[in-house]
Amino acid sequence: MPKSPATKARSKRAGSQLTPGAIIDASLRIAARGSEDAFTVRRLGEELGADPTAIYRHFRDKDELLLSVADHMLGEALDAIPDGLDWKARLRALADASLAVALKYPVVGSAMASRTTRRSNEFRVVELILGAVLEAGLEGSEAAVHYRMIGDTLLAYVGQQAAFLLFDADARAADNSAWNREYRLVDPQRFPHITGLSGELAEVTDEQIFDATVEALISTVEKRAAAHRGV
Amino acid sequence: MPKSPATKARSKRAGSQLTPGAIIDASLRIAARGSEDAFTVRRLGEELGADPTAIYRHFRDKDELLLSVADHMLGEALDAIPDGLDWKARLRALADASLAVALKYPVVGSAMASRTTRRSNEFRVVELILGAVLEAGLEGSEAAVHYRMIGDTLLAYVGQQAAFLLFDADARAADNSAWNREYRLVDPQRFPHITGLSGELAEVTDEQIFDATVEALISTVEKRAAAHRGV
DNA sequence: ACCTGAACACCGTTCAAGT
DNA sequence: ACCTGAACACCGTTCAAGT
């Protein structure tokens, strides 16, 4: 496809037709390769067939590029959420889609865990969460605080999972097997609870943890809304 | 104090008495300077009065050093938790102490958000959380899953806050003022909830968000324990 | 107006050489 | 047995030079 006649005009001078969109697309392709391909300015230049420093004509620095890529990812997550869901199902769908997109592009997912893109798709996410907590029955500053609780917790958790994917295979394996190694060998006198639950601890899955966290956020909103109605 | 006669023997050859403990202490001093002092191998050599590469005689690589420093931080957090608290107060104290220590040494706090130190103080934290959820009334795999929910969520949240502290002042200011800038200028037709709550959103504090998150974790454990007793 | 490429000021880590 | 210091293979970014 890159060699078809239709694209000839765009490449008459190799790599000289850079646009912000083309740079973001190339960034997403590199990010999707996870830890196998470092997301560097030089690698990005290669992917674009241009000089590594050409991107500085379109983005102030790498951070601004990352924010734009992250906002693109939020858009991808939002587009995966179907219409017509009630507030709980909307929050669950947002959580699942956010995790999926962060694991798909882990370099960006982890780098953006403590940032705000302040771009259009982030506005859509905020509007979605606010709509959910308002539908649940929260109002005013209580709605605002609980939106932040949900947004920050989701972002942090999802970024944490993405960052873990970026460690080299050895470090990941060591962390994953810790429950079956270091935690099995712990002194039963000093750590009776760890010893007593070592089997159950080794069997907990990432899905169980994520589900429990999301349900904790949802049921907290529900509980606050019920308390509010009771007043 | 470093110049007292008692310490003379230790410094007859400048910087030649490195120990893992001295390297960890120097790391903590650098980390405590936050974004003002980069936590690099070269900077660490300076702080120790030794060649930058001397630390490789005591730690396999920088990651192993970071894990040791992080475990030291967990010890500092644990030592700040008083005895005799009930399970809810213990979890609240752990959350507060973890946040405090991560904000005190933000470089390490943010780098370790998705890691497991597998060292002694981490065992103590696990034992504390497991003890709390067991005291609340959870058992077996339910205790294990809820321990992971609390541990992972706290670590992720606290790491996110620490990472935010590391951005340069400009980026931090831009993120903090977003609620008073970008979010105020949003299209009221497309984003009615953001528009309606813009005042409340700008006033939410980090403390409110952290408290709401910790209470969400605690009340989820309480709710599950009550459901369990009901069976 | 945009792209190039040399250059700068950094990183973490290795390894032969010292003591 | 431990420390040194040159060296390597990287980073992001700047800036004068090209077109």
Side-chain angles (χ1 to χ4, degrees), chain A residues 113 118 122 127 160 175 183, chain B residues 113 118 122 160 175 183 193:
Chain A
R118 297 187 298 284
E122 188 176 80
E127 186 73 11
Q160 180 191 54
D175 270 29
Y183 279 88
Chain B
R118 295 188 298 285
E122 188 177 79
Q160 180 192 54
D175 269 30
Y183 279 88
H193 302 318

Side-chain angles (χ1 to χ4, degrees), chain B residues 84-98:
Chain B
L85 300 175
D86 68 27
W87 72 271
K88 292 185 192 180
R90 282 207 303 285
L91 289 182
R92 286 189 197 103
L94 175 69
D96 291 344
S98 302

Side-chain angles (χ1 to χ4, degrees), chain B residues 43-61:
Chain B
R43 187 71 193 78
L44 187 52
E46 245 178 83
E47 185 77 23
L48 288 162
D51 188 89
T53 67
I55 62 155
Y56 288 95
R57 246 52 56 193
H58 299 91
F59 294 95
R60 186 160 39 81
D61 53 23

Side-chain angles (χ1 to χ4, degrees), chain A residues 21-224:
Chain A
I23 295 171
I24 291 173
D25 287 346
S27 301
L28 288 169
R29 284 198 300 276
I30 296 172
R33 290 179 206 132
S35 58
E36 316 224 324
D37 206 347
F39 183 49
T40 68
V41 170
R42 281 168 179 82
R43 186 71 193 81
L44 187 52
E46 246 179 82
E47 184 76 24
L48 288 162
D51 189 88
T53 66
I55 63 155
Y56 288 93
R57 247 50 57 190
H58 298 92
F59 294 94
R60 186 162 40 81
D61 53 23
K62 199 187 176 184
D63 188 62
E64 204 209 328
L65 169 60
L66 273 172
L67 289 174
S68 298
V69 175
D71 202 65
H72 203 95
M73 285 165 54
L74 288 181
E76 195 174 319
L78 286 164
D79 291 342
I81 301 175
D83 285 331
L85 300 175
D86 67 30
W87 71 272
K88 293 184 191 179
R90 281 208 303 285
L91 289 182
R92 287 189 196 104
L94 175 68
D96 292 343
S98 302
L99 181 63
V101 96
L103 296 181
K104 183 175 173 188
Y105 309 109
V107 207
V108 188
S110 86
M112 293 298 106
S114 48
R115 300 302 304 282
T116 289
T117 72
R118 297 187 298 284
R119 283 161 173 76
S120 61
N121 286 317
E122 188 176 80
F123 299 154
R124 292 173 62 199
V125 171
V126 177
E127 186 73 11
L128 186 157
I129 302 179
L130 282 176
V133 299
L134 291 170
E135 186 180 318
L138 298 186
E139 290 175 6
S141 68
E142 195 147 42
V145 170
H146 283 82
Y147 146 67
R148 289 291 301 273
M149 175 189 79
I150 294 171
D152 287 18
T153 301
L154 275 186
L155 198 61
Y157 192 94
V158 147
Q160 180 191 54
Q161 295 293 107
F164 185 67
L165 262 191
L166 292 177
F167 291 116
D168 51 292
D170 287 355
R172 276 211 308 282
D175 270 29
N176 279 327
S177 65
W179 298 107
N180 282 317
R181 294 168 174 275
E182 286 87 347
Y183 279 88
R184 297 266 193 192
L185 302 173
V186 122
D187 175 13
Q189 303 288 333
R190 288 185 62 202
F191 305 107
H193 303 318
I194 293 177
T195 305
L197 288 167
S198 67
E200 287 85 351
L201 286 165
E203 278 169 10
V204 176
T205 66
D206 287 343
E207 287 72 22
Q208 285 178 303
I209 304 168
F210 190 62
D211 283 353
T213 305
V214 173
E215 293 309 315
L217 298 173
I218 288 175
S219 71
T220 296
V221 169
E222 205 166 26
K223 190 181 158 193
R224 290 301 310 151

